[in-house]
């Protein structure tokens, strides 16, 4: 656990990224710039921006609050325990690498989403399908790139799609299950 004191007004975008032992982020109640939820996730004071989910938290499911309109860069990067993330209607932006190397197997993108940043779902090895709703107008570089195939469906013909949005081709690992690959990843990086 970490506590953000009342006088902290700035936290760098990757200050807490991949802190695998971090199970809870606590923000002093008198802090005017940041707050946390019951899961220990860090938000700006308005709770419109999810800044950092504590990736050491053992919860397998997470419901992002309805007030959130932006998932910040690297906010859930390395979320090795999260299998299911529920995103709210009203979410507009998923920033770059927001879910990088996350164990999510299912994520439903809301109909209000407008933009997906580069690398948003890279190395989400359990993710098998990603449906990009018609509301999305901008899709960044390499949003999906995995060691296992991912089916991507884009509902809008009007979206501006980066030329390498879906990688140059997903790297496919043969002869090893996703679970064994995941265990190997955890042993190496955690």
């Amino acid at each position: 656990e970490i506590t953000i004191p009342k006088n902290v007004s700035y936290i760098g975008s990757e200050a807490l990224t991949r802190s695998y032992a971090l199970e809870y982020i606590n923000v002093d109640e008198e802090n005017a710039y940041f707050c946390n939820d019951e899961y220990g996730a860090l938000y700006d004071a308005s709770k419109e921006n999810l800044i950092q989910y504590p990736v050491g938290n053992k919860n397998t499911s997470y419901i992002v609050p309805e007030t959130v309109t932006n998932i910040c860069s690297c906010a859930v990067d390395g979320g090795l325990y999260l299998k299911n993330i529920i995103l709210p209607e009203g979410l507009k932006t998923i920033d770059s690498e927001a879910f990088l190397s996350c164990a999510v197997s299912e994520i439903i993108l809301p109909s209000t989403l407008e933009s997906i940043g580069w690398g948003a779902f890279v190395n989400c090895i359990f993710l098998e399908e990603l449906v990009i709703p018609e509301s999305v107008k901008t899709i960044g570089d390499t949003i999906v790139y995995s060691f296992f195939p991912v089916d991507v469906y884009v509902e809008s013909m009007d979206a501006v799609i980066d030329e390498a949005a879906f990688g140059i081709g997903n790297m496919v690992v043969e002869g090893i299950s996703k679970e064994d690959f995941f265990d190997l990843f955890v042993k190496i990086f955690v």
Side-chain angles (χ1 to χ4, degrees):
E1 180 173 321
I2 188 171
T3 298
I4 309 297
K6 68 179 180 179
N7 58 346
V8 172
S9 61
Y10 175 79
I11 299 172
S13 65
E14 295 185 37
L16 301 171
T17 298
R18 294 197 181 201
S19 297
Y20 294 114
L22 184 58
E23 295 183 19
Y24 196 90
I25 301 167
N26 185 45
V27 178
D28 188 298
E29 290 180 10
E30 294 182 32
N31 187 301
Y33 304 97
F34 302 103
C35 65
N36 64 283
D37 66 10
E38 66 272 15
Y39 297 94
L42 177 66
Y43 301 89
D44 66 334
S46 66
K47 224 173 192 178
E48 292 179 1
N49 295 286
L50 171 57
I51 298 169
Q52 184 67 56
Y53 180 84
V55 296
N57 188 310
K58 305 289 191 286
N59 286 319
T60 58
S61 184
Y62 181 58
I63 300 170
V64 177
E66 292 181 11
T67 56
V68 173
T69 59
N70 179 49
I71 308 287
C72 295
S73 289
C74 302
V76 193
D77 179 359
L80 301 178
Y81 301 101
L82 283 176
K83 304 288 183 202
N84 184 30
I85 299 170
I86 299 171
L87 301 175
E89 286 296 323
L91 181 69
K92 294 182 182 204
T93 307
I94 296 175
D95 283 344
S96 62
E97 298 181 329
F99 297 99
L100 177 69
S101 299
C102 188
V104 66
S105 59
E106 179 180 15
I107 191 162
I108 298 170
L109 302 179
S111 63
T112 54
L113 189 64
E114 297 173 359
S115 176
I116 302 173
W118 61 269
F121 301 99
V122 167
N123 290 339
C124 292
I125 65 171
F126 294 105
L127 188 63
E128 294 182 2
E129 179 179 281
L130 185 65
V131 178
I132 299 173
E134 190 172 351
S135 59
V136 173
K137 301 303 178 206
T138 307
I139 300 172
D141 182 27
T142 317
I143 66 161
V144 176
Y145 198 84
S146 179
F147 293 99
F148 296 92
V150 178
D151 293 330
V152 179
Y153 302 95
V154 181
E155 294 180 345
S156 174
M157 298 305 286
D158 297 325
V160 175
I161 302 173
D162 189 279
E163 64 187 47
F166 308 110
I168 300 172
N170 286 331
M171 302 174 285
V172 178
V173 175
E174 295 181 4
I176 186 170
S177 71
K178 289 182 181 182
E179 290 76 13
D180 289 343
F181 185 83
F182 178 76
D183 290 343
L184 179 63
F185 179 86
V186 169
K187 286 178 186 175
I188 293 170
F189 294 105
V190 177

